[in-house]
């Protein structure tokens, strides 16, 4: 049974349709990439899967309708990284990482030794130890993005929903992000990543859902979706595909 199953999701802002009959599924240990041009509905679809927007259709997590999940239970199951995470300037990196343990804290909000060990382990994995005492406002955009990814991992989720997670990351840290997410998938975590970066998605995902104007233009494995002719139509620009060990998509510059 898929850990996530969504069918016929539709949503509109006022009279502007954003999603139109979108369906998808996600299995444990697999990576699914939502791809498509800006404005194709990727971010809205991600929010709909969590109930952050009131889409019509059906969303089930572990076979249970979304409406049957409490916020606390959902936060233990799914960690969500929005495209532009909000943050206060003063808290330190350590403070932000510790927020990831909130779904596990008792009535008095007291952290256990285990909670602190989990935070430390994630900070070490993402090379954030030297930054733990720094305020968020003293970080570069790429450093902040790694902190937000760390906060997700501190939740110890079974599912990661990531909206443009490579925002602000330079090439080195993008490569490290791909390696990290692959490792997490091997550990059994299900990952849904929304991205307009076709090459990042191609290097990472097992399956792809290509959106255009809020509808599914194609869905399947790389050879079914990462087709230069299809992508050129959807992105409204000539594209070429190369083999780089995974499909690499580049514009035809003139």
């Amino acid at each position: 049974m898929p850990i996530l199953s969504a069918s016929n999701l539709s949503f509109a802002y006022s009279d502007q349709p954003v999603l139109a009959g979108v369906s998808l599924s996600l299995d444990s240990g697999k990576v699914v990439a939502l791809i498509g041009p800006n404005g194709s509905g990727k971010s809205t679809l991600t929010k709909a899967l969590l109930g952050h927007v009131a889409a019509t259709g059906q969303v089930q997590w572990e076979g249970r309708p979304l409406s049957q999940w409490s916020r606390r239970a959902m936060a233990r199951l799914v960690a969500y990284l929005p495209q532009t995470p909000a943050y206060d300037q003063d808290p330190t990196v350590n403070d932000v990482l510790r927020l990831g343990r909130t779904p596990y804290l008792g009535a008095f909000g007291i952290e256990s030794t285990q909670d602190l060990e989990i935070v430390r382990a994630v900070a070490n994995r993402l090379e954030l130890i030297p930054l733990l005492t720094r305020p968020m406002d003293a970080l570069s955009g790429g450093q902040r993005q790694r902190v937000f990814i760390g906060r997700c991992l501190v939740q110890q989720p079974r599912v990661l929903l990531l909206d443009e997670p490579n925002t602000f990351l330079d090439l080195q840290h993008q490569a490290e992000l791909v390696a990290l997410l692959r490792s997490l998938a091997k550990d059994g975590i299900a990952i849904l990543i929304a991205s307009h970066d076709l090459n990042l998605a191609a290097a990472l995902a097992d399956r792809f859902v290509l959106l255009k104007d809020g509808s599914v233009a194609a869905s399947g494995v790389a050879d079914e979706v990462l087709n230069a002719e299809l992508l050129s139509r959807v992105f409204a620009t000539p594209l070429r595909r190369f083999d780089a060990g995974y499909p690499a998509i580049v514009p035809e510059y003139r």
Side-chain angles (χ1 to χ4, degrees):
M1 179 181 64
I3 197 166
L4 165 65
S5 178
S7 59
N8 200 31
L9 296 183
S10 298
F11 180 75
Y13 290 108
S14 299
D15 59 348
Q16 182 64 43
V18 181
L19 298 175
V22 175
S23 299
L24 61 86
S25 63
L26 179 63
D27 295 315
S28 296
K30 298 297 181 181
V31 182
V32 172
L34 301 177
I35 57 175
N38 291 338
S40 59
K42 301 186 298 295
S43 294
T44 302
L45 175 56
T46 304
K47 293 175 184 176
L49 297 174
L50 295 168
H52 293 178
V53 298
T56 60
Q58 186 177 63
V59 177
Q60 290 190 333
W61 291 96
E62 294 190 322
R64 291 166 50 197
L66 178 61
S67 59
Q68 294 183 8
W69 287 84
S70 68
R71 291 183 61 183
R72 184 181 179 92
M74 181 59 68
R76 291 185 175 191
L77 178 70
V78 183
Y80 168 53
L81 178 64
Q83 187 170 352
T84 53
Y87 69 95
D88 294 326
Q89 297 180 356
D90 294 333
T92 66
V93 169
N94 192 50
D95 293 332
V96 173
L97 292 177
R98 287 164 58 191
L99 288 174
R101 297 305 299 165
T102 301
Y104 299 91
L105 302 182
F108 298 102
I110 299 174
E111 296 164 309
S112 67
T113 300
Q114 182 184 21
D115 292 321
L116 298 178
E117 289 174 349
I118 290 169
V119 170
R120 187 79 179 181
V122 169
N124 185 59
R125 186 171 191 175
L126 297 185
E127 299 182 354
L128 294 172
I129 296 292
L131 305 178
L132 285 176
T133 59
R134 282 200 202 175
M136 290 292 286
D137 199 43
L139 304 182
S140 69
Q143 288 171 330
R144 278 196 294 270
Q145 191 71 353
R146 280 194 289 145
V147 174
F148 294 134
I149 292 169
R151 182 176 62 187
C152 288
L153 297 183
V154 167
Q155 286 179 231
Q156 295 188 301
R158 293 184 55 206
V159 184
L160 284 172
L161 296 190
L162 308 174
D163 192 353
E164 305 290 356
N166 59 322
T167 301
F168 303 118
L169 297 182
D170 60 23
L171 290 177
Q172 175 190 349
H173 290 110
Q174 287 188 42
E176 290 173 356
L177 173 66
V178 169
L180 171 66
L181 295 180
R182 283 176 173 168
S183 174
L184 293 171
K186 287 181 180 179
D187 290 341
I189 294 178
I191 300 171
L192 181 68
I193 177 173
S195 181
H196 65 268
D197 186 331
L198 296 177
N199 294 316
L200 179 84
L204 181 61
D206 301 296
R207 297 183 63 83
F208 304 82
V209 178
L210 175 62
L211 296 179
K212 177 177 172 58
D213 298 328
S215 297
V216 177
S219 178
V221 298
D223 285 343
E224 296 170 319
V225 179
L226 300 185
N227 172 280
E229 182 179 350
L230 170 62
L231 294 174
S232 295
R233 291 199 307 270
V234 170
F235 283 85
T237 193
L239 299 171
R240 298 181 66 185
R241 171 174 163 166
F242 298 91
D243 181 9
Y246 55 84
I249 312 297
V250 297
E252 288 191 1
Y253 294 111
R254 301 177 187 181

